[in-house]
């Protein structure tokens, strides 16, 4: 057993309001320069839809992630030999039109316009060519234009569903999907890079790009099935989400999580067994990857795990944070959070709590177990998005979310406790109360549990200065 630490994030889709507040500070801090205009390390997509870049989920087009072939795990886009032969031509790379051609406006024409009869106007102008362009796509295109009717048919999550049914107005549904780099345990982007520029940090699992080693081959872009590695057209280097590691190292959470007005994000440390990664990614079926992924995660409160982690060099402050981690509770203890497209076999470490939705087409009262299957968002759609089509984990998560709402409602409104409701979802009263405080109230100290320096190092830490801002008196 080889124990390692990994930063992880959970996003509660049941509370996301699609305000894009998470995207703005990320954009302003990390991609506010030439060549990075079209990069959105964090973006919020409208589902159903084909997303950003276009059809990123369709690996028949983009060839991202891994596949199991004759019992062996292989990159879907091909191995070293394939990349060596085609190193100057990558047919699986998304084009700029799949993102959008970055543009600006000639604002001076408005400011310096002489007096005239009609209001002056300007056309969008490409940042790449300097020529006027017609806008056809963008990171929020489906959001702004309610694009289901136009692009819904291209959403791969409608697999085994009759898309025509959900294109009808009375059956339409919608929810938000914030996305960032998954910082996977088995990152395809790292394995795809011919120059070895991408790497996964040993101490916290954050995936980064070494700008000095990057040669701009862009196989990391096509290899990532989530399309969260970008190519800077100005510098000729790859760039991606860095999980705000300068803030993380100072004990602060990421900018996207800190700025979230809906309090939907949870950041914490997980312990995992690196020796179990290989068997997990080679699970015999796509639906078996998620349970195998859960088995990799270790219980930090287990005394044997704690002793083994200490013996292998895991710091005491990391262990203390792992014990209080909201991500471990949401992912493994309560089974509320699920991975995004586990069939890509990258073992992502950004997880999602599926959204509840209003009950549709209910004429007469039904049992609670039947109500979950009558939600407006199809169970099969969420399963295709989060569990490779397995509806059982999604149904379990939604039932528990619903149980928290109903139980707290009976306590607050009806002044009684319905224990039968708890038994039906396998939870006790203390757990329900803890889930309620974390999900509904979401205090900052509960949502973000990050390691700080051990107490015994505080004296030296103060002498060296805090976070590089100067000496501390």
């Amino acid at each position: 057993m080889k124990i390692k630490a990994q930063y992880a994030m959970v996003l509660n889709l049941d509370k996301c309001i699609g305000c894009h507040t998470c995207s703005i500070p990320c954009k302003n801090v990390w991609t506010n320069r030439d060549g990075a205009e079209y990069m959105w390390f964090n973006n919020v997509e409208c589902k159903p839809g084909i997303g950003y870049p276009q059809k990123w989920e369709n690996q028949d087009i983009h060839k991202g992630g891994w596949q199991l072939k004759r019992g062996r795990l292989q990159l879907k886009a091909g191995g070293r030999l394939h990349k060596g032969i085609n190193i100057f031509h990558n047919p699986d790379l998304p084009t700029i039109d799949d993102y959008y051609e970055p543009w600006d406006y000639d604002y001076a024409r408005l400011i310096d316009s002489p007096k005239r009869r009609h209001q002056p106007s300007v056309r969008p102008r490409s940042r790449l060519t300097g020529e006027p362009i017609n806008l056809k796509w963008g990171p929020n295109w489906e959001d702004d234009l309610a694009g289901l009717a136009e692009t819904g048919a291209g959403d791969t999550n409608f697999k085994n569903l009759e898309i025509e049914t959900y294109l009808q107005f009375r059956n339409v549904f919608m929810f938000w999907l914030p996305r960032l780099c998954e910082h996977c345990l088995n990152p395809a982007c790292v394995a795809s890079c011919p120059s070895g520029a991408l790497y996964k940090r040993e101490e916290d699992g954050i995936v980064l790009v070494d700008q000095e080693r990057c040669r701009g081959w862009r196989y990391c872009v096509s290899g990532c099935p989530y399309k969260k590695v970008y190519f800077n057209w100005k510098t000729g280097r790859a760039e991606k989400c860095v999980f705000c590691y300068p803030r993380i190292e100072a004990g602060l959470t990421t900018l996207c999580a800190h700025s979230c007005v809906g309090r939907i994000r949870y950041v914490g440390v997980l312990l995992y067994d690196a020796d179990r990664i290989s068997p997990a990614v080679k699970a015999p079926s796509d639906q078996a990857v998620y349970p195998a992924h859960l088995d990799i995660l270790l219980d930090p409160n287990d005394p044997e795990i704690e002793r083994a982690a200490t013996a292998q060099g895991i710091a005491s402050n990391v262990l203390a944070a792992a014990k209080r981690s909201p991500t471990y509770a949401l992912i493994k203890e309560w089974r509320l959070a699920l991975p995004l497209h586990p069939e890509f076999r990258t073992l992502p470490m950004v997880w999602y709590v599926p959204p509840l939705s209003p009950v549709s087409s209910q004429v007469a009262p039904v049992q609670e177990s039947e109500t979950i299957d009558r939600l407006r968002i199809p169970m099969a759609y969420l399963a295709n998005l989060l569990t490779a089509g397995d509806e059982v984990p999604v149904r379990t998560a939604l039932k528990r979310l619903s149980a928290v709402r109903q139980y707290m409602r009976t306590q607050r409104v009806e002044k009684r406790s319905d224990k039968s409701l708890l038994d039906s979802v396998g939870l006790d009263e203390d757990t329900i109360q803890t889930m309620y405080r974390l999900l509904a109230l979401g205090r900052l100290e509960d949502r973000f549990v990050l390691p700080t320096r051990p107490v015994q190092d505080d004296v030296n830490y103060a002498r060296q200065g805090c976070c590089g801002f100067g000496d501390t008196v």
Side-chain angles (χ1 to χ4, degrees), residues 103-113 122-123 125:
W103 76 84
D104 61 6
Y105 299 93
D106 184 7
Y107 294 105
R109 182 177 178 182
L110 296 179
I111 298 172
D112 301 333
S113 175
V122 292
R123 293 180 60 188
R125 179 181 58 186

Side-chain angles (χ1 to χ4, degrees), residues 30-278:
W30 296 113
T31 60
N32 59 346
R33 59 196 174 280
D34 289 344
E37 300 91 346
Y38 79 105
M39 298 182 191
W40 293 87
F41 291 169
N42 182 103
N43 70 294
V44 183
E45 297 177 0
C46 178
K47 302 299 287 185
I50 58 177
Y52 178 81
Q54 294 184 39
K55 300 184 178 180
W56 65 267
E57 293 168 285
N58 191 340
Q59 303 314 321
D60 292 336
I61 298 175
H62 295 298
K63 303 293 192 299
W66 303 85
Q67 64 180 349
L68 200 63
K69 199 170 184 179
R70 293 188 293 272
R72 297 183 59 186
L73 193 69
Q74 300 178 358
L75 287 169
K76 202 172 182 68
R80 291 183 179 180
L81 179 60
H82 175 81
K83 288 180 172 57
I85 294 174
N86 299 280
I87 199 164
F88 294 108
H89 172 62
N90 186 351
D92 306 319
L93 192 69
T95 66
I96 191 64
D97 291 334
D98 291 327
Y99 299 95
Y100 64 94
E101 190 167 351
W103 76 84
D104 61 6
Y105 299 93
D106 184 7
Y107 294 105
R109 182 177 178 182
L110 296 179
I111 298 172
D112 301 333
S113 175
K115 185 176 180 180
R116 59 172 62 185
R117 182 175 181 181
H118 299 290
Q119 176 74 19
S121 62
V122 292
R123 293 180 60 188
R125 179 181 58 186
S126 172
R127 292 292 299 271
L128 304 182
T129 65
E131 300 296 326
I133 59 174
N134 294 320
L135 306 183
K136 297 179 180 179
W137 193 254
N140 300 329
W141 201 266
E142 293 171 304
D143 171 4
D144 297 337
L145 299 181
L148 175 61
E150 295 293 329
T151 62
D155 189 334
T156 61
N157 299 302
F158 279 114
K159 179 182 178 182
N160 300 326
L161 288 170
E162 295 182 3
I163 178 63
E164 294 78 9
T165 302
Y166 296 100
L167 292 178
Q168 298 174 7
F169 181 76
R170 65 176 180 272
N171 296 323
V172 74
F173 64 93
M174 189 197 75
F175 63 95
W176 308 105
L177 181 70
R179 294 205 307 115
L180 65 155
C181 171
E182 300 284 335
H183 297 278
C184 308
L185 296 181
N186 184 39
C189 59
V190 174
S192 299
C193 180
S195 58
L198 278 88
Y199 64 99
K200 188 172 178 66
R201 296 213 306 188
E202 181 75 17
E203 63 270 26
D204 52 25
I206 296 175
V207 177
L208 299 175
V209 183
D210 185 343
Q211 295 289 303
E212 296 299 322
R213 298 188 66 176
C214 179
R215 296 295 176 265
W217 299 120
R218 288 175 279 185
Y219 278 109
C220 54
V221 178
S222 56
C224 173
Y226 304 98
K227 292 297 171 281
K228 279 301 173 181
V229 185
Y230 298 86
F231 179 72
N232 187 308
W233 57 268
K234 188 77 171 181
T235 64
R237 300 289 187 267
E239 299 184 20
K240 62 178 295 299
C241 161
V242 298
F243 211 77
C244 292
Y245 73 85
R247 292 175 56 88
I248 291 290
E249 291 172 354
L252 303 173
T253 190
T254 62
L255 287 167
C256 59
H258 184 77
S259 62
C260 177
V261 298
R263 301 184 181 185
I264 77 162
R265 299 189 184 227
Y266 305 82
V267 181
V269 180
L270 298 176
L271 301 180
Y272 70 94
D273 184 0
D275 291 337
R276 300 182 189 178
I277 291 179
S278 180

Side-chain angles (χ1 to χ4, degrees), residues 371-392:
T371 301
I372 292 298
D373 289 311
R374 291 174 177 262
L375 297 179
R376 192 170 187 87
I377 302 176
M379 190 72 64
Y381 184 92
L382 294 175
N384 289 334
L385 181 71
L386 300 172
T387 53
D390 186 2
E391 296 184 14
V392 175

Side-chain angles (χ1 to χ4, degrees), residues 275-330:
D275 291 337
R276 300 182 189 178
I277 291 179
S278 180
V281 297
K282 295 178 182 177
S285 68
D286 290 342
Q287 293 187 355
V289 175
Y290 164 64
H293 194 173
L294 286 180
D295 290 339
I296 295 175
L297 307 181
L298 304 175
D299 184 358
N301 295 300
D302 185 335
E304 294 185 6
I305 298 298
E306 184 177 3
R307 283 193 294 270
T310 302
Q312 295 184 33
I314 302 296
S316 60
N317 59 323
V318 175
L319 285 173
K323 291 180 179 180
R324 298 177 45 240
S325 173
T327 54
Y328 180 81
L330 290 165

